[in-house]
Amino acid sequence: MMVYRLVAIGVAAASAAAMLYVGLYQSRFVGRLLCPIFAEGCQGVADAPFARPFGIPDGYIGAVVYVVILLLLALSILATLANILGVRDMVSLGSFCFYCLMTTFLSPVLLWAVWQLR
């Protein structure tokens, strides 16, 4: 299972980088799009009218989507850690919040569920 997660993280990161590169070309921050195998095909596709839905270079849209996939796991880990620290602070304070405790107990479930996504 761990291998699949690492593969998914690697693929999402590589895809985000590739799409960012295409987006930079579409915005002309990169002068020429290097295209292994397909010669000028990459530039032709990146410059096509369909490659700018709503006027936004689709390279940027793709990069954002792949980064969101990566952030989903990172945010679920961060939420779990923040909730654990919150309980520690409540213990020090000597007062508790039902809603805070509820989210703290549910955070590991959320982390598990996100981790199980395929």
Side-chain angles (χ1 to χ4, degrees), residues 27-50:
S27 297
R28 300 304 186 243
F29 288 109
V30 172
R32 183 174 181 278
L33 193 58
L34 299 176
C35 188
I37 302 172
F38 301 109
E40 302 297 320
C42 295
Q43 286 184 195
V45 171
D47 290 332
F50 64 79

Side-chain angles (χ1 to χ4, degrees), residues 3 16 22 28 31-32 37 48 50-52 81 96 105 108-110 114-115:
V3 173
V22 171
R28 300 304 186 243
R32 183 174 181 278
I37 302 172
F50 64 79
R52 290 182 175 272
L81 294 175
F96 297 93
F105 290 123
V109 176
L110 174 64
V114 168
W115 199 249

Side-chain angles (χ1 to χ4, degrees), residues 21-103:
Y21 177 60
V22 171
L24 290 172
Y25 167 76
Q26 290 172 315
S27 297
R28 300 304 186 243
F29 288 109
V30 172
R32 183 174 181 278
L33 193 58
L34 299 176
C35 188
I37 302 172
F38 301 109
E40 302 297 320
C42 295
Q43 286 184 195
V45 171
D47 290 332
F50 64 79
R52 290 182 175 272
F54 310 109
I56 302 168
D58 64 355
Y60 291 141
I61 295 169
V64 167
V65 169
Y66 288 114
V67 167
V68 167
I69 291 169
L70 292 169
L71 288 176
L72 182 61
L73 180 58
L75 289 174
S76 62
I77 291 169
L78 184 62
T80 301
L81 294 175
N83 282 322
I84 290 168
L85 291 175
V87 169
R88 188 193 69 178
D89 291 341
M90 285 186 277
V91 169
S92 296
L93 180 65
S95 187
F96 297 93
C97 166
F98 169 79
Y99 303 103
C100 300
L101 290 175
M102 180 185 75
T103 60

